Amino acid sequence: MDPVAALERVAYLLERERAEARRATAFRKAAARLAGLDPGELERRLAAGTLTELRDVGPKTAAVAQEAARGAVPAYLAELESRAGTPLAEGGQEVRGWLRGDLHAHSDWSDGGTPILAMARAAIDLGHEYLALTDHSPRLTVARGLSPERLREQLDVVARLNEELAPFRLLTGIEVDILEDGGLDQEPELLARLDVVVASVHSKLRMDRAAMTRRMVAAVEHPLVDVLGHCTGRLVTGGRGTRPESDFDADAVFGACLDNDVAVELNSRPERLDPPTRLLDLVVELGCRVAIDTDAHAPGQLEFLDHGCARAARAGVARDKVVNALPLSELLAWTSR
């Protein structure tokens, strides 16, 4: 087994099962370090057992690389693989089979942990036809949000990658902050160039109910918004602790989504599972479109779709309401409406 591939696979499976981020990062850094070596140097270091002399390579990552180089499946990798043979959540297999791609994912251009190409290749390996790259907008500085200049640069990078990755399509996109007045945190000209615009609230989450409702409705009514991201902003578990739901008039907000043909995101991250069940039931009752997304920040997290699909199945979400069940041409026709 290729040592670099073994290290990358360990990282992927750690991300999939929500291990501490630093553990997956350690394996990705070690894989990158070995991938950057001259083949002759890698062979010499493997033979001499000197991998740990390299920056970013520790005893555990070196052991995985050594075992792989000897032709064995590394014991640590075998342990992780033994836990990866079943879906992350039961009951969503039929819905999972509907999906053609994912409309919310991040790269290391903002607060994701891996390069764009690694995210795209992981999506391809999962059978996706497309993946929307939706890094953050400028005001979310804690997440290294993209300035207009950096976003323009990213668009050029994506165009080049799509030439290499075809027929898979990396969709241009953004997770744009909804500002306090309901405006969007990016230049309209740039938003108009993107394939997918996910609009989310990240600040002033405890805003007064009436003000939050006005804020969200204004964003949904913007003609360039395609998806309302993680609508309540809640956190139910995870390393960042818990966070209560934002308070808003759900009938008004989801009614605006229906009227403006904006999809409500069913965010599949286990720490979010947003919207909550009672609100997801309302989305279904009203007949809104739904985007079942991962909000992935690392390749292994693209499998979080299992969680969202299980919830969609329990809520009775219909296939014809799921926007990322659409073939690429139909999806792009919808987002350019």
Side-chain angles (χ1 to χ4, degrees), residues 87-99 266-269 273 275 277 280-281 284 290 292-293 303-317 322:
L88 290 170
E90 294 296 333
Q93 288 89 335
E94 180 181 0
V95 176
R96 179 66 186 85
W98 300 345
L99 302 188
L266 201 174
N267 189 293
S268 302
R269 294 194 69 86
L273 299 179
T277 299
L280 181 57
D281 289 344
V284 173
V290 172
I292 305 173
D293 296 334
E303 292 202 40
F304 287 176
L305 282 176
D306 291 346
H307 297 291
C309 289
R311 296 193 69 222
R314 289 194 295 271
V317 175
V322 180

PDB file of all heavy atoms in Angstrom, residues 87-99 266-269 273 275 277 280-281 284 290 292-293 303-317 322:
ATOM      1  N   PRO A  87     -23.297   2.927   7.405  1.00  0.00           N
ATOM      2  CA  PRO A  87     -23.602   4.362   7.348  1.00  0.00           C
ATOM      3  C   PRO A  87     -23.465   5.005   8.718  1.00  0.00           C
ATOM      4  O   PRO A  87     -23.604   4.349   9.758  1.00  0.00           O
ATOM      5  CB  PRO A  87     -25.061   4.390   6.861  1.00  0.00           C
ATOM      6  CG  PRO A  87     -25.273   3.087   6.178  1.00  0.00           C
ATOM      7  CD  PRO A  87     -24.412   2.102   6.914  1.00  0.00           C
ATOM      8  N   LEU A  88     -23.211   6.298   8.722  1.00  0.00           N
ATOM      9  CA  LEU A  88     -23.086   7.032   9.977  1.00  0.00           C
ATOM     10  C   LEU A  88     -24.422   7.149  10.697  1.00  0.00           C
ATOM     11  O   LEU A  88     -24.462   7.372  11.908  1.00  0.00           O
ATOM     12  CB  LEU A  88     -22.525   8.427   9.715  1.00  0.00           C
ATOM     13  CG  LEU A  88     -21.057   8.473   9.285  1.00  0.00           C
ATOM     14  CD1 LEU A  88     -20.678   9.872   8.818  1.00  0.00           C
ATOM     15  CD2 LEU A  88     -20.135   8.017  10.404  1.00  0.00           C
ATOM     16  N   ALA A  89     -25.511   7.036   9.970  1.00  0.00           N
ATOM     17  CA  ALA A  89     -26.852   7.064  10.563  1.00  0.00           C
ATOM     18  C   ALA A  89     -27.734   6.113   9.767  1.00  0.00           C
ATOM     19  O   ALA A  89     -27.599   6.009   8.540  1.00  0.00           O
ATOM     20  CB  ALA A  89     -27.428   8.478  10.537  1.00  0.00           C
ATOM     21  N   GLU A  90     -28.606   5.422  10.427  1.00  0.00           N
ATOM     22  CA  GLU A  90     -29.478   4.454   9.767  1.00  0.00           C
ATOM     23  C   GLU A  90     -30.779   5.106   9.309  1.00  0.00           C
ATOM     24  O   GLU A  90     -31.251   6.066   9.915  1.00  0.00           O
ATOM     25  CB  GLU A  90     -29.791   3.295  10.723  1.00  0.00           C
ATOM     26  CG  GLU A  90     -28.576   2.441  11.084  1.00  0.00           C
ATOM     27  CD  GLU A  90     -27.970   1.720   9.898  1.00  0.00           C
ATOM     28  OE1 GLU A  90     -28.713   1.436   8.931  1.00  0.00           O
ATOM     29  OE2 GLU A  90     -26.750   1.462   9.922  1.00  0.00           O
ATOM     30  N   GLY A  91     -31.336   4.556   8.259  1.00  0.00           N
ATOM     31  CA  GLY A  91     -32.668   4.967   7.814  1.00  0.00           C
ATOM     32  C   GLY A  91     -32.682   5.932   6.652  1.00  0.00           C
ATOM     33  O   GLY A  91     -33.749   6.269   6.131  1.00  0.00           O
ATOM     34  N   GLY A  92     -31.505   6.400   6.219  1.00  0.00           N
ATOM     35  CA  GLY A  92     -31.489   7.389   5.147  1.00  0.00           C
ATOM     36  C   GLY A  92     -30.932   6.892   3.835  1.00  0.00           C
ATOM     37  O   GLY A  92     -30.663   7.682   2.930  1.00  0.00           O
ATOM     38  N   GLN A  93     -30.798   5.573   3.696  1.00  0.00           N
ATOM     39  CA  GLN A  93     -30.125   5.039   2.512  1.00  0.00           C
ATOM     40  C   GLN A  93     -30.861   5.381   1.221  1.00  0.00           C
ATOM     41  O   GLN A  93     -30.229   5.697   0.205  1.00  0.00           O
ATOM     42  CB  GLN A  93     -29.959   3.516   2.632  1.00  0.00           C
ATOM     43  CG  GLN A  93     -28.914   3.089   3.650  1.00  0.00           C
ATOM     44  CD  GLN A  93     -29.481   2.920   5.049  1.00  0.00           C
ATOM     45  OE1 GLN A  93     -30.504   3.521   5.398  1.00  0.00           O
ATOM     46  NE2 GLN A  93     -28.834   2.098   5.864  1.00  0.00           N
ATOM     47  N   GLU A  94     -32.194   5.334   1.230  1.00  0.00           N
ATOM     48  CA  GLU A  94     -32.926   5.660   0.008  1.00  0.00           C
ATOM     49  C   GLU A  94     -32.712   7.119  -0.375  1.00  0.00           C
ATOM     50  O   GLU A  94     -32.435   7.442  -1.544  1.00  0.00           O
ATOM     51  CB  GLU A  94     -34.424   5.396   0.188  1.00  0.00           C
ATOM     52  CG  GLU A  94     -35.227   5.723  -1.069  1.00  0.00           C
ATOM     53  CD  GLU A  94     -36.719   5.504  -0.909  1.00  0.00           C
ATOM     54  OE1 GLU A  94     -37.161   5.082   0.189  1.00  0.00           O
ATOM     55  OE2 GLU A  94     -37.470   5.759  -1.878  1.00  0.00           O
ATOM     56  N   VAL A  95     -32.821   8.015   0.593  1.00  0.00           N
ATOM     57  CA  VAL A  95     -32.610   9.435   0.310  1.00  0.00           C
ATOM     58  C   VAL A  95     -31.182   9.671  -0.153  1.00  0.00           C
ATOM     59  O   VAL A  95     -30.940  10.430  -1.101  1.00  0.00           O
ATOM     60  CB  VAL A  95     -32.928  10.289   1.555  1.00  0.00           C
ATOM     61  CG1 VAL A  95     -32.619  11.763   1.296  1.00  0.00           C
ATOM     62  CG2 VAL A  95     -34.388  10.125   1.957  1.00  0.00           C
ATOM     63  N   ARG A  96     -30.229   9.004   0.479  1.00  0.00           N
ATOM     64  CA  ARG A  96     -28.824   9.161   0.075  1.00  0.00           C
ATOM     65  C   ARG A  96     -28.643   8.782  -1.393  1.00  0.00           C
ATOM     66  O   ARG A  96     -27.857   9.399  -2.120  1.00  0.00           O
ATOM     67  CB  ARG A  96     -27.928   8.300   0.967  1.00  0.00           C
ATOM     68  CG  ARG A  96     -26.444   8.372   0.631  1.00  0.00           C
ATOM     69  CD  ARG A  96     -25.891   9.748   0.890  1.00  0.00           C
ATOM     70  NE  ARG A  96     -24.506   9.867   0.433  1.00  0.00           N
ATOM     71  CZ  ARG A  96     -24.145  10.159  -0.806  1.00  0.00           C
ATOM     72  NH1 ARG A  96     -25.073  10.374  -1.736  1.00  0.00           N
ATOM     73  NH2 ARG A  96     -22.884  10.245  -1.148  1.00  0.00           N
ATOM     74  N   GLY A  97     -29.385   7.784  -1.830  1.00  0.00           N
ATOM     75  CA  GLY A  97     -29.300   7.365  -3.226  1.00  0.00           C
ATOM     76  C   GLY A  97     -29.838   8.387  -4.210  1.00  0.00           C
ATOM     77  O   GLY A  97     -29.525   8.326  -5.408  1.00  0.00           O
ATOM     78  N   TRP A  98     -30.653   9.343  -3.725  1.00  0.00           N
ATOM     79  CA  TRP A  98     -31.175  10.396  -4.602  1.00  0.00           C
ATOM     80  C   TRP A  98     -30.119  11.445  -4.933  1.00  0.00           C
ATOM     81  O   TRP A  98     -30.201  12.098  -5.975  1.00  0.00           O
ATOM     82  CB  TRP A  98     -32.324  11.145  -3.930  1.00  0.00           C
ATOM     83  CG  TRP A  98     -33.512  10.354  -3.537  1.00  0.00           C
ATOM     84  CD1 TRP A  98     -33.856   9.091  -3.927  1.00  0.00           C
ATOM     85  CD2 TRP A  98     -34.546  10.793  -2.633  1.00  0.00           C
ATOM     86  NE1 TRP A  98     -35.025   8.709  -3.322  1.00  0.00           N
ATOM     87  CE2 TRP A  98     -35.472   9.738  -2.538  1.00  0.00           C
ATOM     88  CE3 TRP A  98     -34.761  11.972  -1.919  1.00  0.00           C
ATOM     89  CZ2 TRP A  98     -36.616   9.836  -1.736  1.00  0.00           C
ATOM     90  CZ3 TRP A  98     -35.887  12.068  -1.128  1.00  0.00           C
ATOM     91  CH2 TRP A  98     -36.814  11.013  -1.033  1.00  0.00           C
ATOM     92  N   LEU A  99     -29.169  11.651  -4.034  1.00  0.00           N
ATOM     93  CA  LEU A  99     -28.330  12.843  -4.094  1.00  0.00           C
ATOM     94  C   LEU A  99     -27.259  12.747  -5.174  1.00  0.00           C
ATOM     95  O   LEU A  99     -26.587  11.730  -5.322  1.00  0.00           O
ATOM     96  CB  LEU A  99     -27.676  13.099  -2.738  1.00  0.00           C
ATOM     97  CG  LEU A  99     -28.624  13.276  -1.550  1.00  0.00           C
ATOM     98  CD1 LEU A  99     -27.849  13.720  -0.319  1.00  0.00           C
ATOM     99  CD2 LEU A  99     -29.742  14.261  -1.861  1.00  0.00           C
ATOM    100  N   LEU A 266     -30.896  21.571   5.026  1.00  0.00           N
ATOM    101  CA  LEU A 266     -30.908  20.563   6.079  1.00  0.00           C
ATOM    102  C   LEU A 266     -29.435  20.283   6.352  1.00  0.00           C
ATOM    103  O   LEU A 266     -28.791  19.527   5.626  1.00  0.00           O
ATOM    104  CB  LEU A 266     -31.658  19.309   5.624  1.00  0.00           C
ATOM    105  CG  LEU A 266     -32.198  18.374   6.717  1.00  0.00           C
ATOM    106  CD1 LEU A 266     -33.049  17.262   6.106  1.00  0.00           C
ATOM    107  CD2 LEU A 266     -31.090  17.768   7.562  1.00  0.00           C
ATOM    108  N   ASN A 267     -28.885  20.948   7.346  1.00  0.00           N
ATOM    109  CA  ASN A 267     -27.463  20.876   7.638  1.00  0.00           C
ATOM    110  C   ASN A 267     -27.168  19.560   8.354  1.00  0.00           C
ATOM    111  O   ASN A 267     -27.714  19.277   9.423  1.00  0.00           O
ATOM    112  CB  ASN A 267     -27.045  22.073   8.496  1.00  0.00           C
ATOM    113  CG  ASN A 267     -25.550  22.193   8.655  1.00  0.00           C
ATOM    114  OD1 ASN A 267     -24.918  21.352   9.293  1.00  0.00           O
ATOM    115  ND2 ASN A 267     -24.970  23.247   8.075  1.00  0.00           N
ATOM    116  N   SER A 268     -26.291  18.763   7.763  1.00  0.00           N
ATOM    117  CA  SER A 268     -26.057  17.397   8.232  1.00  0.00           C
ATOM    118  C   SER A 268     -24.985  17.275   9.303  1.00  0.00           C
ATOM    119  O   SER A 268     -24.737  16.162   9.782  1.00  0.00           O
ATOM    120  CB  SER A 268     -25.658  16.510   7.047  1.00  0.00           C
ATOM    121  OG  SER A 268     -26.646  16.510   6.046  1.00  0.00           O
ATOM    122  N   ARG A 269     -24.338  18.370   9.673  1.00  0.00           N
ATOM    123  CA  ARG A 269     -23.311  18.275  10.710  1.00  0.00           C
ATOM    124  C   ARG A 269     -23.951  17.788  12.006  1.00  0.00           C
ATOM    125  O   ARG A 269     -24.961  18.357  12.461  1.00  0.00           O
ATOM    126  CB  ARG A 269     -22.636  19.624  10.938  1.00  0.00           C
ATOM    127  CG  ARG A 269     -21.812  20.120   9.757  1.00  0.00           C
ATOM    128  CD  ARG A 269     -20.911  21.273  10.169  1.00  0.00           C
ATOM    129  NE  ARG A 269     -19.855  20.811  11.060  1.00  0.00           N
ATOM    130  CZ  ARG A 269     -18.688  20.298  10.642  1.00  0.00           C
ATOM    131  NH1 ARG A 269     -18.442  20.187   9.358  1.00  0.00           N
ATOM    132  NH2 ARG A 269     -17.788  19.898  11.521  1.00  0.00           N
ATOM    133  N   LEU A 273     -27.412  19.653  13.083  1.00  0.00           N
ATOM    134  CA  LEU A 273     -28.695  19.023  12.754  1.00  0.00           C
ATOM    135  C   LEU A 273     -29.793  20.086  12.705  1.00  0.00           C
ATOM    136  O   LEU A 273     -30.782  20.050  13.428  1.00  0.00           O
ATOM    137  CB  LEU A 273     -29.024  17.922  13.763  1.00  0.00           C
ATOM    138  CG  LEU A 273     -28.009  16.771  13.818  1.00  0.00           C
ATOM    139  CD1 LEU A 273     -28.407  15.743  14.859  1.00  0.00           C
ATOM    140  CD2 LEU A 273     -27.834  16.097  12.469  1.00  0.00           C
ATOM    141  N   PRO A 275     -32.404  22.458  10.332  1.00  0.00           N
ATOM    142  CA  PRO A 275     -33.290  22.915  11.394  1.00  0.00           C
ATOM    143  C   PRO A 275     -33.707  21.799  12.349  1.00  0.00           C
ATOM    144  O   PRO A 275     -33.684  20.622  11.978  1.00  0.00           O
ATOM    145  CB  PRO A 275     -34.514  23.445  10.624  1.00  0.00           C
ATOM    146  CG  PRO A 275     -34.525  22.650   9.358  1.00  0.00           C
ATOM    147  CD  PRO A 275     -33.090  22.395   9.014  1.00  0.00           C
ATOM    148  N   THR A 277     -36.252  19.385  14.476  1.00  0.00           N
ATOM    149  CA  THR A 277     -37.310  18.552  13.899  1.00  0.00           C
ATOM    150  C   THR A 277     -38.614  19.308  13.697  1.00  0.00           C
ATOM    151  O   THR A 277     -39.254  19.202  12.643  1.00  0.00           O
ATOM    152  CB  THR A 277     -37.547  17.317  14.786  1.00  0.00           C
ATOM    153  OG1 THR A 277     -36.339  16.548  14.833  1.00  0.00           O
ATOM    154  CG2 THR A 277     -38.661  16.454  14.218  1.00  0.00           C
ATOM    155  N   LEU A 280     -38.158  21.484  10.702  1.00  0.00           N
ATOM    156  CA  LEU A 280     -38.065  20.679   9.485  1.00  0.00           C
ATOM    157  C   LEU A 280     -39.448  20.187   9.065  1.00  0.00           C
ATOM    158  O   LEU A 280     -39.792  20.183   7.875  1.00  0.00           O
ATOM    159  CB  LEU A 280     -37.111  19.505   9.705  1.00  0.00           C
ATOM    160  CG  LEU A 280     -36.899  18.577   8.515  1.00  0.00           C
ATOM    161  CD1 LEU A 280     -36.401  19.340   7.288  1.00  0.00           C
ATOM    162  CD2 LEU A 280     -35.914  17.461   8.879  1.00  0.00           C
ATOM    163  N   ASP A 281     -40.256  19.808  10.043  1.00  0.00           N
ATOM    164  CA  ASP A 281     -41.638  19.398   9.738  1.00  0.00           C
ATOM    165  C   ASP A 281     -42.417  20.541   9.089  1.00  0.00           C
ATOM    166  O   ASP A 281     -43.208  20.323   8.160  1.00  0.00           O
ATOM    167  CB  ASP A 281     -42.350  18.944  11.015  1.00  0.00           C
ATOM    168  CG  ASP A 281     -41.838  17.619  11.545  1.00  0.00           C
ATOM    169  OD1 ASP A 281     -41.158  16.891  10.783  1.00  0.00           O
ATOM    170  OD2 ASP A 281     -42.093  17.307  12.728  1.00  0.00           O
ATOM    171  N   VAL A 284     -41.381  20.937   5.436  1.00  0.00           N
ATOM    172  CA  VAL A 284     -42.033  19.912   4.612  1.00  0.00           C
ATOM    173  C   VAL A 284     -43.504  20.251   4.404  1.00  0.00           C
ATOM    174  O   VAL A 284     -44.037  20.155   3.288  1.00  0.00           O
ATOM    175  CB  VAL A 284     -41.869  18.522   5.260  1.00  0.00           C
ATOM    176  CG1 VAL A 284     -42.685  17.471   4.508  1.00  0.00           C
ATOM    177  CG2 VAL A 284     -40.393  18.128   5.302  1.00  0.00           C
ATOM    178  N   VAL A 290     -35.527  21.848  -0.342  1.00  0.00           N
ATOM    179  CA  VAL A 290     -34.559  21.483   0.694  1.00  0.00           C
ATOM    180  C   VAL A 290     -33.213  21.179   0.031  1.00  0.00           C
ATOM    181  O   VAL A 290     -33.177  20.550  -1.031  1.00  0.00           O
ATOM    182  CB  VAL A 290     -35.049  20.261   1.496  1.00  0.00           C
ATOM    183  CG1 VAL A 290     -33.970  19.749   2.451  1.00  0.00           C
ATOM    184  CG2 VAL A 290     -36.322  20.595   2.266  1.00  0.00           C
ATOM    185  N   ILE A 292     -29.910  19.160   1.167  1.00  0.00           N
ATOM    186  CA  ILE A 292     -29.298  18.298   2.185  1.00  0.00           C
ATOM    187  C   ILE A 292     -27.786  18.429   2.025  1.00  0.00           C
ATOM    188  O   ILE A 292     -27.196  17.888   1.095  1.00  0.00           O
ATOM    189  CB  ILE A 292     -29.753  16.837   2.040  1.00  0.00           C
ATOM    190  CG1 ILE A 292     -31.281  16.735   2.073  1.00  0.00           C
ATOM    191  CG2 ILE A 292     -29.139  15.980   3.146  1.00  0.00           C
ATOM    192  CD1 ILE A 292     -31.814  15.345   1.765  1.00  0.00           C
ATOM    193  N   ASP A 293     -27.157  19.175   2.925  1.00  0.00           N
ATOM    194  CA  ASP A 293     -25.748  19.542   2.794  1.00  0.00           C
ATOM    195  C   ASP A 293     -24.942  19.086   3.995  1.00  0.00           C
ATOM    196  O   ASP A 293     -25.480  18.880   5.084  1.00  0.00           O
ATOM    197  CB  ASP A 293     -25.610  21.068   2.685  1.00  0.00           C
ATOM    198  CG  ASP A 293     -26.265  21.638   1.433  1.00  0.00           C
ATOM    199  OD1 ASP A 293     -26.377  20.906   0.441  1.00  0.00           O
ATOM    200  OD2 ASP A 293     -26.666  22.815   1.470  1.00  0.00           O
ATOM    201  N   GLU A 303     -19.117  12.627   4.238  1.00  0.00           N
ATOM    202  CA  GLU A 303     -20.007  11.499   4.529  1.00  0.00           C
ATOM    203  C   GLU A 303     -21.065  11.843   5.574  1.00  0.00           C
ATOM    204  O   GLU A 303     -21.953  11.029   5.851  1.00  0.00           O
ATOM    205  CB  GLU A 303     -19.196  10.282   4.969  1.00  0.00           C
ATOM    206  CG  GLU A 303     -18.355   9.698   3.838  1.00  0.00           C
ATOM    207  CD  GLU A 303     -17.980   8.245   4.070  1.00  0.00           C
ATOM    208  OE1 GLU A 303     -18.834   7.481   4.569  1.00  0.00           O
ATOM    209  OE2 GLU A 303     -16.827   7.885   3.751  1.00  0.00           O
ATOM    210  N   PHE A 304     -20.996  13.046   6.140  1.00  0.00           N
ATOM    211  CA  PHE A 304     -22.041  13.463   7.076  1.00  0.00           C
ATOM    212  C   PHE A 304     -23.423  13.480   6.420  1.00  0.00           C
ATOM    213  O   PHE A 304     -24.433  13.573   7.121  1.00  0.00           O
ATOM    214  CB  PHE A 304     -21.737  14.853   7.638  1.00  0.00           C
ATOM    215  CG  PHE A 304     -20.608  14.915   8.637  1.00  0.00           C
ATOM    216  CD1 PHE A 304     -20.195  16.143   9.147  1.00  0.00           C
ATOM    217  CD2 PHE A 304     -19.939  13.776   9.057  1.00  0.00           C
ATOM    218  CE1 PHE A 304     -19.159  16.222  10.071  1.00  0.00           C
ATOM    219  CE2 PHE A 304     -18.900  13.842   9.972  1.00  0.00           C
ATOM    220  CZ  PHE A 304     -18.513  15.075  10.477  1.00  0.00           C
ATOM    221  N   LEU A 305     -23.472  13.404   5.099  1.00  0.00           N
ATOM    222  CA  LEU A 305     -24.769  13.324   4.420  1.00  0.00           C
ATOM    223  C   LEU A 305     -25.652  12.235   5.012  1.00  0.00           C
ATOM    224  O   LEU A 305     -26.886  12.354   4.985  1.00  0.00           O
ATOM    225  CB  LEU A 305     -24.576  13.061   2.921  1.00  0.00           C
ATOM    226  CG  LEU A 305     -24.172  14.255   2.054  1.00  0.00           C
ATOM    227  CD1 LEU A 305     -23.932  13.793   0.620  1.00  0.00           C
ATOM    228  CD2 LEU A 305     -25.228  15.359   2.092  1.00  0.00           C
ATOM    229  N   ASP A 306     -25.052  11.179   5.532  1.00  0.00           N
ATOM    230  CA  ASP A 306     -25.847  10.099   6.141  1.00  0.00           C
ATOM    231  C   ASP A 306     -26.775  10.650   7.220  1.00  0.00           C
ATOM    232  O   ASP A 306     -27.931  10.213   7.339  1.00  0.00           O
ATOM    233  CB  ASP A 306     -24.936   9.038   6.762  1.00  0.00           C
ATOM    234  CG  ASP A 306     -24.169   8.225   5.734  1.00  0.00           C
ATOM    235  OD1 ASP A 306     -24.511   8.288   4.539  1.00  0.00           O
ATOM    236  OD2 ASP A 306     -23.205   7.533   6.129  1.00  0.00           O
ATOM    237  N   HIS A 307     -26.277  11.575   8.030  1.00  0.00           N
ATOM    238  CA  HIS A 307     -27.091  12.146   9.107  1.00  0.00           C
ATOM    239  C   HIS A 307     -28.268  12.944   8.535  1.00  0.00           C
ATOM    240  O   HIS A 307     -29.413  12.800   8.977  1.00  0.00           O
ATOM    241  CB  HIS A 307     -26.241  13.058  10.000  1.00  0.00           C
ATOM    242  CG  HIS A 307     -25.140  12.364  10.721  1.00  0.00           C
ATOM    243  ND1 HIS A 307     -25.371  11.459  11.730  1.00  0.00           N
ATOM    244  CD2 HIS A 307     -23.784  12.451  10.589  1.00  0.00           C
ATOM    245  CE1 HIS A 307     -24.209  11.005  12.195  1.00  0.00           C
ATOM    246  NE2 HIS A 307     -23.241  11.598  11.516  1.00  0.00           N
ATOM    247  N   GLY A 308     -27.986  13.790   7.566  1.00  0.00           N
ATOM    248  CA  GLY A 308     -29.050  14.599   6.971  1.00  0.00           C
ATOM    249  C   GLY A 308     -30.074  13.757   6.244  1.00  0.00           C
ATOM    250  O   GLY A 308     -31.279  14.037   6.309  1.00  0.00           O
ATOM    251  N   CYS A 309     -29.615  12.724   5.550  1.00  0.00           N
ATOM    252  CA  CYS A 309     -30.540  11.872   4.801  1.00  0.00           C
ATOM    253  C   CYS A 309     -31.457  11.091   5.733  1.00  0.00           C
ATOM    254  O   CYS A 309     -32.640  10.900   5.432  1.00  0.00           O
ATOM    255  CB  CYS A 309     -29.753  10.915   3.899  1.00  0.00           C
ATOM    256  SG  CYS A 309     -28.960  11.745   2.500  1.00  0.00           S
ATOM    257  N   ALA A 310     -30.929  10.640   6.867  1.00  0.00           N
ATOM    258  CA  ALA A 310     -31.765   9.931   7.833  1.00  0.00           C
ATOM    259  C   ALA A 310     -32.858  10.853   8.366  1.00  0.00           C
ATOM    260  O   ALA A 310     -34.025  10.452   8.508  1.00  0.00           O
ATOM    261  CB  ALA A 310     -30.904   9.384   8.974  1.00  0.00           C
ATOM    262  N   ARG A 311     -32.503  12.109   8.659  1.00  0.00           N
ATOM    263  CA  ARG A 311     -33.501  13.066   9.146  1.00  0.00           C
ATOM    264  C   ARG A 311     -34.523  13.401   8.061  1.00  0.00           C
ATOM    265  O   ARG A 311     -35.715  13.527   8.339  1.00  0.00           O
ATOM    266  CB  ARG A 311     -32.817  14.345   9.623  1.00  0.00           C
ATOM    267  CG  ARG A 311     -31.897  14.149  10.820  1.00  0.00           C
ATOM    268  CD  ARG A 311     -31.518  15.492  11.433  1.00  0.00           C
ATOM    269  NE  ARG A 311     -32.658  16.109  12.068  1.00  0.00           N
ATOM    270  CZ  ARG A 311     -32.965  17.410  11.977  1.00  0.00           C
ATOM    271  NH1 ARG A 311     -32.213  18.222  11.247  1.00  0.00           N
ATOM    272  NH2 ARG A 311     -34.013  17.901  12.597  1.00  0.00           N
ATOM    273  N   ALA A 312     -34.045  13.548   6.823  1.00  0.00           N
ATOM    274  CA  ALA A 312     -34.962  13.838   5.715  1.00  0.00           C
ATOM    275  C   ALA A 312     -35.965  12.707   5.531  1.00  0.00           C
ATOM    276  O   ALA A 312     -37.158  12.951   5.293  1.00  0.00           O
ATOM    277  CB  ALA A 312     -34.170  14.060   4.434  1.00  0.00           C
ATOM    278  N   ALA A 313     -35.500  11.466   5.665  1.00  0.00           N
ATOM    279  CA  ALA A 313     -36.400  10.320   5.521  1.00  0.00           C
ATOM    280  C   ALA A 313     -37.450  10.313   6.621  1.00  0.00           C
ATOM    281  O   ALA A 313     -38.642  10.092   6.364  1.00  0.00           O
ATOM    282  CB  ALA A 313     -35.589   9.019   5.542  1.00  0.00           C
ATOM    283  N   ARG A 314     -37.028  10.578   7.848  1.00  0.00           N
ATOM    284  CA  ARG A 314     -37.981  10.578   8.962  1.00  0.00           C
ATOM    285  C   ARG A 314     -39.010  11.703   8.815  1.00  0.00           C
ATOM    286  O   ARG A 314     -40.166  11.535   9.215  1.00  0.00           O
ATOM    287  CB  ARG A 314     -37.243  10.722  10.300  1.00  0.00           C
ATOM    288  CG  ARG A 314     -36.447   9.500  10.699  1.00  0.00           C
ATOM    289  CD  ARG A 314     -36.035   9.555  12.162  1.00  0.00           C
ATOM    290  NE  ARG A 314     -35.121  10.658  12.443  1.00  0.00           N
ATOM    291  CZ  ARG A 314     -33.796  10.567  12.347  1.00  0.00           C
ATOM    292  NH1 ARG A 314     -33.231   9.440  11.970  1.00  0.00           N
ATOM    293  NH2 ARG A 314     -33.038  11.618  12.642  1.00  0.00           N
ATOM    294  N   ALA A 315     -38.589  12.815   8.242  1.00  0.00           N
ATOM    295  CA  ALA A 315     -39.497  13.959   8.090  1.00  0.00           C
ATOM    296  C   ALA A 315     -40.384  13.851   6.853  1.00  0.00           C
ATOM    297  O   ALA A 315     -41.285  14.668   6.671  1.00  0.00           O
ATOM    298  CB  ALA A 315     -38.684  15.254   8.031  1.00  0.00           C
ATOM    299  N   GLY A 316     -40.116  12.879   6.006  1.00  0.00           N
ATOM    300  CA  GLY A 316     -40.930  12.709   4.812  1.00  0.00           C
ATOM    301  C   GLY A 316     -40.615  13.715   3.710  1.00  0.00           C
ATOM    302  O   GLY A 316     -41.506  14.081   2.924  1.00  0.00           O
ATOM    303  N   VAL A 317     -39.355  14.161   3.622  1.00  0.00           N
ATOM    304  CA  VAL A 317     -38.962  15.080   2.549  1.00  0.00           C
ATOM    305  C   VAL A 317     -39.105  14.352   1.212  1.00  0.00           C
ATOM    306  O   VAL A 317     -38.598  13.243   1.040  1.00  0.00           O
ATOM    307  CB  VAL A 317     -37.513  15.565   2.740  1.00  0.00           C
ATOM    308  CG1 VAL A 317     -37.070  16.422   1.554  1.00  0.00           C
ATOM    309  CG2 VAL A 317     -37.380  16.344   4.045  1.00  0.00           C
ATOM    310  N   VAL A 322     -35.821  18.095  -3.171  1.00  0.00           N
ATOM    311  CA  VAL A 322     -34.404  18.112  -2.789  1.00  0.00           C
ATOM    312  C   VAL A 322     -33.580  18.633  -3.964  1.00  0.00           C
ATOM    313  O   VAL A 322     -33.452  17.969  -4.991  1.00  0.00           O
ATOM    314  CB  VAL A 322     -33.933  16.702  -2.378  1.00  0.00           C
ATOM    315  CG1 VAL A 322     -32.457  16.730  -1.993  1.00  0.00           C
ATOM    316  CG2 VAL A 322     -34.775  16.172  -1.219  1.00  0.00           C
TER     317      VAL A 322
END
